[in-house]
Amino acid sequence: MTSLEKEKVIVLIGPTAVGKTNTSIALAKKFNGEIISGDSMQIYKRMDIGTAKVTSEEMEGVPHHLIDIKNPEEPFSVAEFQQLVRKKISDIHSRGKTPLIVGGTGLYIQAVLYDYQFTETPADEHYRNELEMKCEKNGSLWLHKELVKIDPVAAMNIHHNNTRRVIRALEVYHCTGKTMTEYQQTQSHDLQYNAVLIGLTMDREKLYSRINLRVDLMIDQGLIEEVKGLYDAGLRDVQSVQAIGYKELYGYFDGTISMERAIENLKQNSRRYAKRQLTWFRNKMDVAWFDVTDKSRHSKNIEDISEFIAGKLQLKSNK
């Protein structure tokens, strides 16, 4: 199938706090589009502030998909995301609309666009339980260092607090002799869609300043109360509360750190995550980058991005 015969997809990526939401709404209006969230945490209900979930007002009437589809105690995998998004792409096309995937979770978006096959890798429950007990005894940093020894690339992309993913990566190696990175390298890099990938970037210091400000705004909007609700509901060793913005405040509720330290950790982890996002996108995906440092040029940036998309996908844009 040639690229012209494949379904057309616009993908908008970039680090946290760079301004993807506003840009995506403008592009959706330009290209008669509907937005599919490419964020691995916005799928969860009751996690609105910490995930910077788009509000109904911000949507400005543009349909959004894959938001609030899971309860916080439920797991969610890349394979499930791939399946759901591909169905949404076909559905949106069937109604004569243009799908826009918008988000910052690189592996999830990559799995949709390329021919990633998710076969069941062998599992060893006894080994997994053993790792869980060792982690409880020695801490998540010790566990993460075990992964660094065998797969430093995967370790760089998995936060040490995300013990579920760290253990899974160790389990895959234990069962197969192949690291998670080696497994991913065997995946096909053939695009499944006629896709254009747009990346938003900005001056690093300005981005970090925006991240710090965003965290302060989240606190003002009620982030502490939002996380306390999950904490009080007994949600602990589940995927959702490993997200940045949630795990840091759990330390405060546990009484191990002060609120000031928890907020500072949240800012620091968000800045580090933004750096990891940019590294991933630049190393793994063929992206056309647009610098959006100067927010007074927002309209001109939208115009430039729209022209680029229209040329690549042969799409007509609304003026």
Side-chain angles (χ1 to χ4, degrees):
M1 188 185 290
T2 68
S3 63
L4 291 176
E5 293 170 317
K6 293 175 181 175
E7 291 172 316
K8 296 175 181 179
V9 178
I10 300 168
V11 182
L12 182 69
I13 59 176
T16 184
V18 78
K20 294 185 294 293
T21 298
N22 287 343
T23 302
S24 66
I25 299 294
L27 292 176
K29 289 181 171 182
K30 285 265 187 187
F31 294 103
N32 192 26
E34 296 189 8
I35 292 171
I36 302 170
S37 171
D39 186 293
S40 62
M41 289 297 156
Q42 291 190 358
I43 58 153
Y44 289 113
K45 300 169 185 174
R46 294 157 48 204
M47 295 177 64
D48 304 330
I49 300 169
T51 63
K53 201 174 286 176
V54 62
T55 65
S56 54
E57 292 79 16
E58 288 170 332
M59 290 180 188
E60 294 183 27
V62 174
H64 281 63
H65 304 277
L66 265 60
I67 293 175
D68 290 341
I69 62 167
K70 289 274 185 180
N71 292 314
E73 62 273 17
E74 295 180 278
F76 190 64
S77 68
V78 186
E80 188 177 355
F81 178 82
Q82 180 195 62
Q83 186 181 34
L84 289 171
V85 173
R86 288 183 174 176
K87 281 182 182 174
K88 285 292 178 190
I89 289 172
S90 295
D91 172 57
I92 292 167
H93 268 288
S94 73
R95 291 183 279 105
K97 300 288 194 75
T98 305
L100 280 86
I101 303 174
V102 180
T105 309
L107 177 61
Y108 279 57
I109 293 171
Q110 202 175 17
V112 171
L113 298 180
Y114 298 93
D115 190 22
Y116 272 33
Q117 304 293 324
F118 292 99
T119 53
E120 285 297 318
T121 50
D124 184 335
E125 192 173 344
H126 176 74
Y127 178 72
R128 192 186 320 139
N129 291 339
E130 188 181 310
L131 286 178
E132 286 169 356
M133 284 189 289
K134 285 182 178 178
C135 178
E136 206 167 308
K137 180 183 175 184
N138 302 316
S140 61
L141 279 173
W142 171 85
L143 185 74
H144 194 260
K145 283 175 184 173
E146 293 299 300
L147 182 59
V148 171
K149 291 176 191 174
I150 63 160
D151 192 354
V153 176
M156 187 181 74
N157 289 310
I158 304 174
H159 193 276
H160 68 82
N161 278 340
N162 196 342
T163 55
R164 187 189 63 84
R165 280 189 65 200
V166 175
I167 287 173
R168 184 63 188 138
L170 288 167
E171 186 182 7
V172 167
Y173 180 72
H174 170 77
C175 293
T176 67
K178 283 188 176 182
T179 66
M180 193 70 88
T181 300
E182 287 170 333
Y183 171 72
Q184 288 174 358
Q185 285 170 348
T186 65
Q187 298 288 357
S188 165
H189 279 48
D190 293 329
L191 271 170
Q192 299 301 289
Y193 299 96
N194 183 7
V196 59
L197 278 70
I198 303 297
L200 302 184
T201 186
M202 67 167 49
D203 171 77
R204 188 66 60 90
E205 288 309 309
K206 181 156 187 182
L207 178 64
Y208 287 172
S209 176
R210 282 173 62 88
I211 288 170
N212 291 339
L213 178 61
R214 172 184 269 192
V215 171
D216 290 335
L217 287 171
M218 285 177 173
I219 299 298
D220 290 344
Q221 289 166 352
L223 177 62
I224 291 166
E225 292 78 10
E226 179 174 282
V227 182
K228 186 69 159 61
L230 301 170
Y231 183 89
D232 289 344
L235 290 169
R236 292 198 72 85
D237 299 318
V238 293
Q239 186 175 340
S240 60
V241 296
Q242 301 303 321
I244 295 171
Y246 296 84
K247 59 176 182 254
E248 294 85 2
L249 288 170
Y250 264 53
Y252 163 62
F253 296 132
D254 283 339
T256 57
I257 55 173
S258 67
M259 185 190 291
E260 290 74 19
R261 171 46 57 191
I263 293 169
E264 191 47 52
N265 289 347
L266 169 48
K267 290 178 178 179
Q268 185 179 63
N269 287 340
S270 297
R271 294 192 300 267
R272 286 175 175 168
Y273 179 56
K275 189 176 179 182
R276 288 201 305 273
Q277 285 175 303
L278 284 165
T279 301
W280 175 281
F281 293 136
R282 285 179 173 141
N283 292 343
K284 304 268 189 182
M285 304 173 91
D286 183 18
V287 180
W289 291 97
F290 289 83
D291 191 300
V292 293
T293 302
D294 185 356
K295 290 300 177 183
S296 68
R297 293 187 76 257
H298 179 69
S299 296
K300 183 68 170 70
N301 289 335
I302 296 298
E303 197 178 306
D304 292 345
I305 294 169
S306 298
E307 282 182 16
F308 183 83
I309 291 170
K312 284 284 183 181
L313 296 184
Q314 309 295 295
L315 284 174
K316 288 182 180 178
S317 70
N318 301 319
K319 297 299 180 187

